[in-house]
Amino acid sequence: MSHTEVKLKIPFGNKLLDAVCLVPNKSLTYGIILTHGASGDMNLPHLMSLASHLASHGFFCLRFTCKGLNIVHRIKAYKSVLSYLKTSGEYKLAGVFLGGRSMGSRAAASVMCHIEPDDADDFVRGLICISYPLHHPKQQHKLRDEDLFRIKDPVLFVSGAADEMCEKNLLEKVAQKMQAPNKIHWIDKANHSMAVKGRSTNDVFKEINTQILYWIQEITEMDKK
C-alpha cells in the first residue's frame, strides 16, 4: 500500500517539535507514534524502517525528534505530540499506539501511565517498547519498572536477549507482575542497539518490524469484532 510523507512542526510550549508522518492512501483508522533514544533523532534507520513497514500495511505513522537527556522534558514533548494527534482535524484516528526506542520507550511508558482515568474514549490502545532500558549497565539492583506496573493497556516489549540495559530474567519477572496484558519478543543475541553478530541490520529490522505489525494487527482486529 502506498503512502505519502508529510513533514510537520508540532507545538511544544513555545517551541516546535520536528515530526514526519507517513500517511497511507486509504481511510485512516489507527496510528503509531515513534521516537528515538538518548541519542539520534527521528531519522534513525530503525525507526524509518519500522514506520514505512507499518504505513505500507495501512497504519498512520508519526515519528518525532526530541533531543536531550532530561526524561521529564521528553515525557512532556511526547504528551504534546499525543494531544496534537488527538485533536487533529486533519488526521482523524480511531486510536494510537505509543512507541519508542530505549529512552523514547521510557517516555512513552510514562505517558501511558498518566492517561487520565476520565479519558475513557480509549484513544491510546497500547505501548511498544523497543530496547526498554530497564536498568543502567551493571546496575541491575535499580530497576526502572514503576511506570510499567501502572499501565493497563497492552504492552509489547522487543528486546535483545543480550541487552546490557535489560537483563532477560529481570524483564520477564517485571512482565509477570504487570497488570497490563503484555508480550516480550526476544531478539536472539542482540545487544541494546539491536546489533547481532553475523546478521545484517536489515535482517534484524525485518524480524522486529514483523513482530510489531503482527501484535498491532492482533489488537486492532479485536476492535472490528
Side-chain angles (χ1 to χ4, degrees), residues 39-55:
S39 58
D41 57 23
M42 65 182 173
N43 295 324
L44 203 70
H46 183 192
L47 293 186
M48 292 174 76
S49 161
L50 176 59
S52 89
H53 185 69
L54 296 173

Side-chain angles (χ1 to χ4, degrees), residues 17-35:
L17 296 168
D18 285 312
V20 169
C21 292
L22 298 186
V23 187
N25 301 337
K26 69 165 193 74
S27 63
L28 296 175
T29 45
Y30 295 97
I32 292 98
I33 303 174
L34 296 169
T35 193

Side-chain angles (χ1 to χ4, degrees), residues 14 19 87 110 115 124 132 155 222:
N14 52 7
T87 56
S110 189
I115 291 167
V124 176
Y132 184 84
V155 182
M222 285 194 278

Side-chain angles (χ1 to χ4, degrees), residues 117-132:
D118 61 348
D119 192 16
D121 58 0
D122 283 343
F123 187 64
V124 176
R125 294 304 166 92
L127 171 68
I128 299 153
C129 295
I130 302 164
S131 297
Y132 184 84

Side-chain angles (χ1 to χ4, degrees), residues 83-102:
S83 72
Y84 171 84
L85 270 189
K86 196 172 175 175
T87 56
S88 158
E90 199 163 346
Y91 308 115
K92 293 182 169 65
L93 298 169
V96 294
F97 291 84
L98 308 189
R101 226 206 129 265
S102 192

Side-chain angles (χ1 to χ4, degrees), residues 60-73:
F60 172 95
C61 224
L62 182 152
R63 321 189 296 278
F64 74 95
T65 296
C66 178
K67 303 227 175 198
L69 295 180
N70 180 325
I71 188 73
V72 176
H73 176 73

